[in-house]
C-alpha cells in the first residue's frame, strides 16, 4: 500500500508546505483537491505551462507522486460543460503522471434524485476513450447513489473500459446504505485503484468527523481486506477541512493518520 493525503485537509497551505509535510511524515503521494484559493486544478499556478516542470521536479526530489486529481466534474448535470473540464483534468494528469482523475455522477455525498445512470455512462465512455492513450485512469467514487456497490458495478460493466477504476470511500456505503465493507469490497475489488479514508460518528442524526480510529466506521475491517489481497494502490486521507473549518488542523491530523494506519498494518 501507498499513502497520500488530499489537499482538502490543508486549504491554507502553500505548495512547499504540502510537499515538505508529505515527505517528512513518510507519505508517498498527494491527492490534489485545490491549493489555497484555487480549487480547479488546471488553473492552479504551479501547474501552468511555465511552472509545471519545476513542480514535477519538486515532486521527484522528494520521491512523491500525484496520487489523484480530484475534480468537481458532475457528469450527470448539463448546466455546465463538465465533460470539457474533465478532459482538461485528464490532460493535466497526463503531464503530471498522476495515477487517476476523479469524476462524479452524483452531486452530494448523500443520495439524491439528480443522478442519471444513462448520462453518467455516456459521459464516462467519452472520457475513457479520450484517456485511452494517456497516463491517468478515470476514477469514479462510492458516493451518493453510487455508494451502493451493485449500482456502481452496473455503471462499470456498462462502460466496459479498462480505463475505468473505483475510488472506495469507506464512509459513504456504510452511512448511505448500511452496506457492510465486505459486500462493497467483494463487488468492486477488481476495480479499486484508490481508497479514501475518513472517520466519523453520527450523533442526533448529524455526522461528525473524527480522526482515524476515533469514530465508528469499520476502517480496520476494510484495511484488513485490502491487506489480505496485497492492495498496491493509494490509501488517501480525505480530511474535509476546506468545507469544515472547525476541524482539527492538518499538521496534527496528517501525522496522526499515517502513524495510526502504519501501526495497524504492521
Amino acid at each position: 500500500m501507498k499513502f497520500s493525503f488530499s489537499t482538502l485537509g490543508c486549504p491554507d497551505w502553500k505548495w512547499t508546505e504540502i510537499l515538505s509535510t508529505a515527505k517528512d511524515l513518510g507519505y508517498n503521494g498527494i491527492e490534489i483537491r485545490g491549493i489555497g484559493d484555487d480549487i480547479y486544478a488546471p488553473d492552479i499556478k504551479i501547474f501552468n505551462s511555465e511552472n509545471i516542470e519545476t513542480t514535477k521536479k519538486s515532486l521527484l526530489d522528494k520521491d512523491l507522486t500525484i496520487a489523484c486529481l480530484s475534480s468537481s466534474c458532475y457528469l450527470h448535470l448539463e448546466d455546465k460543460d463538465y465533460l470539457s473540464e474533465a478532459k482538461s483534468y485528464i490532460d493535466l494528469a497526463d503531464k503530471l503522471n498522476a495515477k487517476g482523475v476523479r469524476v462524479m455522477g452524483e452531486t452530494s455525498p448523500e443520495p439524491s434524485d439528480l443522478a442519471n445512470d444513462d448520462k453518467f455512462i455516456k459521459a464516462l465512455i467519452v472520457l475513457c476513450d479520450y484517456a485511452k492513450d494517456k497516463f491517468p485512469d478515470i476514477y469514479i467514487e462510492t458516493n451518493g447513489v453510487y455508494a451502493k456497490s451493485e449500482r456502481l458495478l452496473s455503471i462499470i460493466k456498462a462502460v466496459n473500459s479498462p480505463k475505468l477504476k473505483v475510488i472506495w470511500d469507506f464512509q459513504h456505503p456504510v452511512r448511505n446504505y448500511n452496506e457492510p465493507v465486505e459486500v462493497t469490497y467483494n463487488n468492486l475489488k477488481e476495480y479499486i485503484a484508490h481508497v479514501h479514508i475518513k472517520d466519523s460518528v453520527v450523533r442526533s442524526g448529524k455526522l461528525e468527523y473524527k480522526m482515524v480510529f476515533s469514530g465508528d466506521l469499520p476502517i480496520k475491517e476494510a484495511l484488513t481486506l485490502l491487506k489480505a489481497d496485497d492492495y498496491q494502490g493509494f490509501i488517501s486521507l480525505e480530511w474535509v477541512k476546506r468545507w469544515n473549518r472547525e476541524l482539527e488542523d492538518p499538521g496534527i491530523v496528517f501525522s496522526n493518520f499515517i502513524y495510526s494506519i502504519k501501526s495497524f498494518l504492521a
Side-chain angles (χ1 to χ4, degrees):
M1 297 184 194
K2 293 172 286 189
F3 303 96
S4 62
F5 58 78
S6 169
T7 56
L8 272 181
C10 51
D12 300 320
W13 284 8
K14 298 183 183 301
W15 178 242
T16 52
E17 191 172 4
I18 293 168
L19 281 177
S20 296
T21 299
K23 177 64 176 179
D24 292 347
L25 292 178
Y27 283 86
N28 309 102
I30 299 163
E31 178 176 344
I32 303 297
R33 185 77 170 94
I35 296 176
D37 294 332
D38 297 317
I39 194 70
Y40 180 62
D43 284 347
I44 294 174
K45 186 176 180 179
I46 62 167
F47 299 142
N48 67 25
S49 58
E50 294 179 359
N51 298 313
I52 193 167
E53 292 305 320
T54 300
T55 299
K56 289 168 68 175
K57 186 177 185 303
S58 69
L59 287 160
L60 185 63
D61 288 346
K62 295 190 180 297
D63 196 26
L64 294 167
T65 60
I66 301 297
C68 176
L69 296 182
S70 287
S71 78
S72 298
C73 297
Y74 302 116
L75 300 180
H76 58 300
L77 300 179
E78 297 178 349
D79 59 332
K80 191 175 181 181
D81 191 0
Y82 286 114
L83 203 58
S84 292
E85 284 195 5
K87 289 179 179 179
S88 295
Y89 267 87
I90 292 167
D91 290 340
L92 177 59
D94 190 49
K95 294 173 184 175
L96 290 168
N97 293 327
K99 301 293 184 181
V101 170
R102 184 197 71 167
V103 295
M104 307 292 282
E106 172 69 292
T107 314
S108 68
E110 298 77 27
S112 74
D113 59 1
L114 293 176
N116 184 305
D117 289 3
D118 289 339
K119 288 181 181 178
F120 194 27
I121 289 165
K122 288 176 182 177
L124 287 170
I125 289 172
V126 171
L127 293 181
C128 286
D129 182 65
Y130 185 77
K132 66 181 179 181
D133 296 320
K134 299 179 185 291
F135 188 82
D137 289 324
I138 307 301
Y139 291 171
I140 52 177
E141 188 173 347
T142 53
N143 178 78
V145 297
Y146 302 111
K148 190 172 184 63
S149 59
E150 287 186 357
R151 185 164 178 178
L152 187 60
L153 184 60
S154 71
I155 298 293
I156 295 167
K157 289 182 175 179
V159 175
N160 190 28
S161 170
K163 296 295 289 183
L164 188 61
K165 307 294 184 183
V166 167
I167 296 178
W168 183 18
D169 187 305
F170 298 157
Q171 176 168 274
H172 300 149
V174 173
R175 298 296 186 212
N176 292 358
Y177 293 103
N178 199 28
E179 183 172 290
V181 291
E182 295 84 0
V183 172
T184 309
Y185 183 70
N186 286 331
N187 280 336
L188 300 174
K189 63 181 179 180
E190 180 182 348
Y191 307 100
I192 295 171
H194 193 77
V195 172
H196 277 166
I197 287 186
K198 45 186 171 284
D199 209 347
S200 63
V201 296
V202 177
R203 290 198 178 102
S204 302
K206 183 179 178 182
L207 186 72
E208 296 179 11
Y209 290 105
K210 299 291 183 182
M211 287 194 284
V212 67
F213 300 146
S214 297
D216 60 13
L217 286 175
I219 292 174
K220 292 181 178 179
E221 293 86 342
L223 289 171
T224 299
L225 291 168
L226 291 164
K227 183 179 180 181
D229 282 344
D230 193 27
Y231 170 72
Q232 294 296 306
F234 274 93
I235 303 289
S236 193
L237 173 64
E238 193 179 45
W239 189 244
V240 292
K241 190 171 178 65
R242 180 176 287 274
W243 317 130
N244 298 269
R245 291 299 182 129
E246 73 280 3
L247 293 177
E248 288 90 341
D249 288 338
I252 297 170
V253 177
F254 292 174
S255 177
N256 172 79
F257 167 77
I258 198 159
Y259 173 80
S260 300
I261 292 294
K262 286 188 173 181
S263 296
F264 173 75
L265 292 171

